[in-house]
Structures are given as C-alpha cells and as structure tokens.
Amino acid sequence: MKGKKIKGLLLLFMMLFSLSSKVYASALPSVSINIDGATSPLEVTSSIQILLIITVLSLAPSIIIMMTSFTRIVVVFYFLRAALGTQQTPPNQALIGLALFMTLFLMMPIFTSIKTTAWDPYKAGAITEEVAFDNATKPLKEFMLNQVYEEDLALFANMSNAEPVEEYIDLPLTVVIPSFIIGELKRGFMIGFLIYIPFIVIDMVVASVLMAMGMMMLPPASISLPFKILLFIMVDGWHLICSELVSSFRMVS
C-alpha cells in the first residue's frame, strides 16, 4: 500500500509540474533571436571597435605594469615599508593606489599623445588599425627607450636574433618591453638600497646601545621603530621619496 501511495504522489507531482510549466510558457511573450550577420560596413566597424576596447581593457593591468613607470614606483614603496619595519603599514591598497596615481601623473602627456595621434584619427576613420597601433605604441616606446640600459637592449636583441637597426626606435616591442622591465627593476632595487642605509644605521645604533646596557633579550626592532618613524617624519619622507621618484624618470621631450 505504501508503495502504491508513493507512486501515486510521484505521478501527481509530475502532472502538476508539467501543467505549471505549460502555463508559465504560455504566459511568457514570444522572443525571437536574430543572429544574422552585419548588413553594412558601419556595423562591422562598430563591432571591431567594441572588440578592440574589450581587448585593451583586459590587457590594461599588464600594460600599466610592463610599459609605464608603475614598476619602479611600487618596488621603491615596498622597499621603503620594509626598511621602516612597519609590517603592513601603509597597507598594500594605499601603496598601490599611490603608485597608480603617480603613474597617471607621469604618463598623462604620453596618454594624451596617444589619444591625439592614434585614437582620435582612428575613431574619425582617417587611419587604419595598423597605423593607429603604430601611432599608439610610438610614444610608449620612446618613453621606455629613455629609461632602458643599452646592455639590456643588446641582450634581448641578441637573444631574439633581431635585425640590426639604425635607431633604437625601430626595435620591436618584444625587445624593448623586457629590456625596460629589467631596467626598472634594477633602478628600483638601487633606490631601495639607498633608502635602507639610514634605517640600518639606526638599527645598528639601537642594537649596540641595548647590548651595552645588557638588555640582550629586548628585541632591537621594537625600540628602533619609533626612531625610524621619527626620522622619516622629520625629513618629510613621503614628499622626498615622491619628488625624487618623479625626477628619476627621463621623460620624452
């Protein structure tokens, strides 16, 4: 009997479900999906522009990191925080946000040049996609070439078997970008070393004083931290670091 009741309930449930599905389907308005191709060249151009915009937005983080001043700035900020010994202060969001806005400040003339020479003419239909790409990459390439070391360019040019060129601007991006990145890392580490020196001196002085007083069990870092913060405040450290970082870039004339 129980089996018959269960079967009856299942049958009733299936009937109600199918009935409610038919009612819901009949209540919905009919929708037709048109998947026909483009009917005019203008629609094709708009589709290509949308595709290009989506591609650029997806690659924007990589472009910012690899082809702008962001790498050097953020590396120096992380070295500064490590030298101060403040652990997670300032937080990562604050350091990356400051690095992004400093990058925007430094790269704004280049972005303006890209908009004027590449995006605006392409949007108006005056140039093709290839010309727009060349016009957009030229200011970035000039900026990167002003920062790179010649030995780094020679390294990647030799490894890629690139053809000899009369001017560095004729080198492909596959050679210029990695040369620029390792150059930025090198400069960031050099600046970080210089930032470390005064704070290491404070740590050594505090450690020597504690050992002379016989307080060897007291961690020197906990005592030297306030003195390092005080020194950083007295020299107006953030103003000094940011101004020196901006002046360390050789901008396109």
Side-chain angles (χ1 to χ4, degrees):
M1 294 293 292
K2 291 184 178 179
K4 292 182 178 179
K5 289 183 179 180
I6 293 174
K7 291 181 180 179
L9 290 174
L10 289 175
L11 181 61
L12 179 61
F13 176 77
M14 293 174 64
M15 291 174 62
L16 291 174
F17 179 76
S18 62
L19 181 61
S20 60
S21 300
K22 292 179 180 179
V23 173
Y24 181 73
S26 62
L28 287 175
S30 60
V31 178
S32 60
I33 300 175
N34 185 11
I35 56 174
D36 295 336
T39 58
S40 65
L42 183 60
E43 293 181 5
V44 176
T45 303
S46 301
S47 301
I48 293 175
Q49 289 179 354
I50 294 173
L51 180 61
L52 289 174
I53 292 173
I54 294 174
T55 303
V56 170
L57 289 177
S58 62
L59 296 176
S62 299
I63 294 173
I64 292 175
I65 292 173
M66 294 187 299
M67 302 175 66
T68 65
S69 58
F70 179 81
T71 300
R72 185 191 308 184
I73 295 172
V74 77
V75 167
V76 171
F77 284 166
Y78 275 88
F79 269 114
L80 172 62
R81 189 174 67 180
L84 283 171
T86 53
Q87 302 300 325
Q88 296 298 320
T89 303
N92 293 335
Q93 293 85 347
L95 292 181
I96 294 175
L98 179 57
L100 283 173
F101 277 101
M102 287 186 63
T103 300
L104 183 64
F105 171 77
L106 281 165
M107 303 297 294
M108 185 54 66
I110 298 173
F111 293 155
T112 303
S113 176
I114 292 173
K115 181 179 182 298
T116 303
T117 60
W119 174 250
D120 289 344
Y122 174 73
K123 188 178 180 181
I127 57 176
T128 61
E129 290 87 354
E130 292 80 5
V131 177
F133 179 78
D134 293 337
N135 293 346
T137 55
K138 184 177 179 180
L140 284 173
K141 190 184 289 186
E142 290 176 349
F143 168 78
M144 290 187 288
L145 288 173
N146 282 342
Q147 321 302 325
V148 299
Y149 294 97
E150 292 186 1
E151 57 267 24
D152 296 333
L153 282 173
L155 171 66
F156 286 98
N158 292 332
M159 289 192 298
S160 64
N161 296 321
E163 297 181 358
V165 294
E166 296 182 358
E167 297 182 357
Y168 288 142
I169 194 66
D170 297 325
L171 287 170
L173 285 174
T174 53
V175 173
V176 176
I177 293 176
S179 305
F180 170 74
I181 292 174
I182 64 173
E184 290 298 284
L185 291 174
K186 189 185 299 183
R187 284 194 174 91
F189 274 66
M190 291 169 61
I191 298 173
F193 170 75
L194 296 176
I195 290 174
Y196 252 99
I197 292 176
F199 299 115
I200 289 178
V201 171
I202 293 177
D203 286 333
M204 294 176 63
V205 170
V206 170
S208 300
V209 171
L210 290 177
M211 290 184 64
M213 296 176 63
M215 299 180 179
M216 292 177 291
M217 300 301 294
L218 187 64
S222 62
I223 305 300
S224 62
L225 178 59
F227 292 101
K228 290 190 287 187
I229 295 176
L230 179 62
L231 173 65
F232 192 70
I233 294 173
M234 290 178 61
V235 300
D236 197 3
W238 287 113
H239 175 86
L240 183 62
I241 292 292
C242 292
S243 61
E244 291 300 320
L245 273 175
V246 171
S247 62
S248 68
F249 288 93
R250 296 191 290 268
M251 301 305 296
V252 180
S253 58

